[in-house]
Amino acid sequence: MSFSGDTRLKPSPPAALPLPSKRLSRSARRKLQAMTKCNHFSAAGGLMSSIYGSGIMNLLEPCEEYYKSKPLSSSSLSIFGYENRRVKQTGKAMAIAVQPAKEPTTKKKPVTKKRRVVVTGLGVVSPVGDVVDVFYENLLDGVSGISEIESFDCQHFPTKIAGEIKSFSADGWIAPKLSKRVDKFMLYLLTAGKKALEDGGVTDEVMKELDITKCGVIIGSALGGMKIFQDAIEALRVSYKKMNPFCVPFATTNMGSAILAMDLGWMGPNYSISTACATSNYCILNAANHIIRGETDMMLSGGSDSAIIPIGLGGFVACNSLSQRNDDPTKASRPWDVSRDGFVMGEGAGVLLLEELEHAKARGAKIYAEFMGGSFTCDAYHMTEPHPDGTGIALCIEKALAQSGVAREDVNYINAHATSTPSGDLNEYEAIIRCFGDNSQLKINSTKSMVGHLLGAAGAVEAVATVKAIQTGWLHPNINLENPDVGVDKNVLVGAKKERFDVKVALSNSFGFGGHNSSILFAPYKDQ
């Protein structure tokens, strides 16, 4: 009930209260009789108005007769809609209100030692090898995996080269029926994931001992099943009845992670992150964070992409991103070289087996390196172009150092994003020098000079190369760096031959369309 105008109401004779249908106790009847003598209640419109009126209870103050009577029992109060409410008397004022539940005392989370994350397995599918040791030996030898595209006729495209995987077999890794249905990005992902497990010594016996609720998969893709989607469009031109019934699930970026988890029976965190060419680093850092927070003990993480098809090639040609050095494919990807003219598409997958340190030690796992941390930022500048000042990149590196607790002087090796694009290479180089220019021992290289740009898989494949550099003590060369661009110090870059190097802390960068920046850090494992 609400009032407007003059609220000064004249007292009226006590009105008879309507009796409830339920018989009241003697004390309740006395209470009601006392209430009928109070002018306050009658003036305000009667007892029922006080119960159902809007905000009217705040205007009422019970009379002397009320205070002399005994309080109503909880059962009597319930019939007037005051169930579970408490009556509190203080002096002559009475408040009938719902009492908030007492907040439980918040216990401070006990200080615990930070859970350390280590790399215990590596899996890779790339243009220069599908076995980790072969892959890295080819990188050290400067072998290029870039050649003319053979999977389709690209004579009408200005770019006819790519880091294409010429021969690949999933035999022994994926069921034949499934391998015939899924997109290549999923074939690469499933194979690299299982190879990482094998490399990590996760045998059938070890699998039986794992807590599957604390094992997860986060492997992303920038573009997902593009071939599956392209085939569906072609089938739709005839009839929807001709479409692959699996075209939607097999085209989505998350399905690779999902199927791998189904195959392994792992019930921990499972999802896919898609942030263009920064995808893998996002997945790796998020996977590590699940371990650090105690939510998991073991995670497969990384990225996979296979977009060397007409729509993929045509799309990147249309946005003027690709090299057109078709006459000499192995020389086409040339990060930091003054004659670079765009990146070269590649395909493949990289997967890291991340594990909580004590969990890894308990099962006697081989430890490649320790994951130190990382960070992300956004340029908030342009869809395809990096910020000209490299502000987002420098901020990302600084945040990665702060988050991981690594001193900048300890970072002496950087596997750069360096895609062989005119603006991207210089912006990253300048940001790196801004952050680490005082370190005379700093060395930088780009895996893309040999495998091309693997899009969403790039960061994971380069993380594998970074971890192998730590493990072997060798840095792979920057091939095709014949004439460094203006402002680039050739002494900071690894030369045309592999170099022996003692890595203290390694940083791996990945950036993507949309201004996504990511930096992750690895270091040699030291038992503390």
Side-chain angles (χ1 to χ4, degrees):
M1 177 179 290
S2 61
F3 294 92
S4 60
D6 188 0
T7 60
R8 295 172 293 179
L9 302 179
K10 295 181 180 180
S12 59
L17 286 171
L19 292 176
S21 59
K22 183 177 179 181
R23 183 176 177 84
L24 299 179
S25 66
R26 183 177 298 175
S27 62
R29 288 198 299 272
R30 284 199 301 268
K31 178 62 67 175
L32 290 176
Q33 289 169 1
M35 292 168 71
T36 60
K37 297 178 182 179
C38 296
N39 289 336
H40 292 290
F41 279 83
S42 60
L47 176 62
M48 300 311 289
S49 296
S50 73
I51 295 171
Y52 297 109
S54 175
I56 197 69
M57 284 294 294
N58 294 329
L59 303 176
L60 306 181
E61 182 179 335
C63 64
E64 292 291 338
E65 292 293 332
Y66 175 84
Y67 291 118
K68 293 176 182 178
S69 63
K70 293 181 180 179
L72 287 172
S73 65
S74 59
S75 60
S76 300
L77 284 170
S78 67
I79 65 170
F80 293 105
Y82 292 123
E83 239 175 307
N84 299 325
R85 299 185 184 186
R86 297 179 183 176
V87 179
K88 183 179 180 182
Q89 293 182 346
T90 56
K92 290 187 177 181
M94 187 215 54
I96 301 177
V98 177
Q99 300 295 318
K102 187 177 181 180
E103 291 292 333
T105 303
T106 303
K107 293 182 179 180
K108 290 185 178 180
K109 188 175 180 180
V111 178
T112 57
K113 186 177 181 181
K114 182 180 179 181
R115 285 161 59 94
R116 296 168 66 186
V117 180
V118 292
V119 181
T120 56
L122 301 170
V124 69
V125 174
S126 82
V128 295
D130 299 342
V131 178
V132 169
D133 288 341
V134 173
F135 159 77
Y136 200 62
E137 282 298 325
N138 282 333
L139 291 183
L140 293 178
D141 291 341
V143 175
S144 175
I146 297 169
S147 60
E148 292 184 3
I149 296 172
E150 298 177 0
S151 58
F152 64 94
D153 184 3
C154 55
Q155 291 306 308
H156 299 295
F157 290 96
T159 293
K160 302 174 177 61
I161 57 175
E164 187 179 45
I165 296 174
K166 303 300 184 183
S167 60
F168 172 78
S169 174
D171 293 348
W173 300 104
I174 305 170
K177 188 175 182 180
L178 181 64
S179 65
K180 291 177 181 179
R181 291 179 171 178
V182 300
D183 191 272
K184 281 202 295 184
F185 100 92
M186 290 175 65
L187 288 179
Y188 297 160
L189 183 157
L190 295 170
T191 302
K194 291 186 175 182
K195 286 185 175 184
L197 284 178
E198 182 185 63
D199 185 59
V202 182
T203 61
D204 290 340
E205 290 72 23
V206 173
M207 285 287 286
K208 292 175 183 177
E209 299 298 321
L210 295 176
D211 179 354
I212 59 173
T213 66
K214 300 195 75 174
C215 298
V217 184
I218 305 178
I219 304 175
S221 177
L223 298 173
M226 290 192 71
K227 180 64 164 61
I228 289 284
F229 203 74
Q230 179 178 274
D231 291 346
I233 292 172
E234 293 301 318
L236 185 60
R237 295 180 188 279
V238 179
S239 169
Y240 73 90
K241 295 180 181 180
K242 298 292 184 180
M243 293 174 68
N244 180 350
F246 300 100
C247 67
V248 170
F250 284 172
T252 56
T253 60
N254 72 298
M255 200 53 65
S257 269
I259 289 179
L260 182 55
M262 293 175 202
D263 199 355
L264 301 175
W266 285 11
M267 299 177 68
N270 184 284
Y271 53 93
S272 167
I273 299 172
S274 184
T275 48
C277 304
T279 290
S280 290
N281 278 9
Y282 275 69
C283 291
I284 292 169
L285 181 51
N286 276 274
N289 284 339
H290 282 295
I291 296 174
I292 292 169
R293 292 194 297 263
E295 297 164 359
T296 58
D297 294 324
M298 183 180 285
M299 295 290 296
L300 285 169
S301 61
S304 179
D305 257 319
S306 178
I308 304 175
I309 57 175
I311 193 171
L313 182 67
F316 283 112
V317 165
C319 63
N320 198 32
S321 298
L322 300 181
S323 170
Q324 298 181 16
R325 198 183 294 263
N326 300 310
D327 56 335
D328 196 358
T330 62
K331 300 286 187 180
S333 185
R334 42 199 316 112
W336 300 296
D337 191 83
V338 72
S339 63
R340 64 192 183 282
D341 66 334
F343 76 82
V344 179
M345 287 181 68
E347 62 180 347
V351 176
L352 280 68
L353 177 61
L354 301 180
E355 198 167 350
E356 194 274 326
L357 175 59
E358 297 305 320
H359 188 273
K361 290 166 68 175
R363 69 178 187 86
K366 176 179 68 175
I367 297 175
Y368 280 105
E370 181 169 2
F371 179 81
M372 304 302 292
S375 190
F376 318 123
T377 61
C378 179
D379 280 350
Y381 172 73
H382 192 272
M383 283 192 298
T384 59
E385 290 295 321
H387 196 287
D389 297 332
T391 306
I393 297 172
L395 177 62
C396 186
I397 294 171
E398 295 288 351
K399 288 180 66 177
L401 294 173
Q403 187 275 338
S404 61
V406 171
R408 71 180 66 250
E409 57 268 21
D410 289 337
V411 177
N412 63 346
Y413 166 53
I414 296 175
N415 188 300
H417 181 63
T419 60
S420 187
T421 55
S423 60
D425 290 11
L426 277 183
N427 289 340
E428 181 184 13
Y429 175 82
E430 290 167 358
I432 290 172
I433 296 303
R434 195 183 313 168
C435 295
F436 303 105
D438 294 336
N439 189 344
S440 61
Q441 303 301 314
L442 184 67
K443 284 294 181 180
I444 309 172
N445 63 8
S446 172
T447 306
K448 293 182 181 71
S449 64
M450 288 169 276
V451 300
H453 191 352
L454 275 59
L455 309 177
V461 171
E462 289 156 19
V464 170
T466 301
V467 170
K468 289 297 289 183
I470 291 172
Q471 186 223 352
T472 63
W474 286 97
L475 303 183
H476 69 67
N478 286 302
I479 69 170
N480 304 324
L481 184 58
E482 298 167 355
N483 186 13
D485 205 343
V486 177
V488 176
D489 183 357
K490 192 173 183 177
N491 294 321
V492 177
L493 305 178
V494 180
K497 300 291 183 181
K498 65 182 180 181
E499 295 185 18
R500 195 70 160 152
F501 198 73
D502 180 20
V503 180
K504 293 181 180 179
V505 178
L507 182 143
S508 180
N509 283 333
S510 282
F511 316 126
F513 280 2
H516 303 291
N517 305 309
S518 61
S519 299
I520 56 177
L521 295 136
F522 299 92
Y525 164 67
K526 296 178 182 178
D527 195 5
Q528 297 175 357

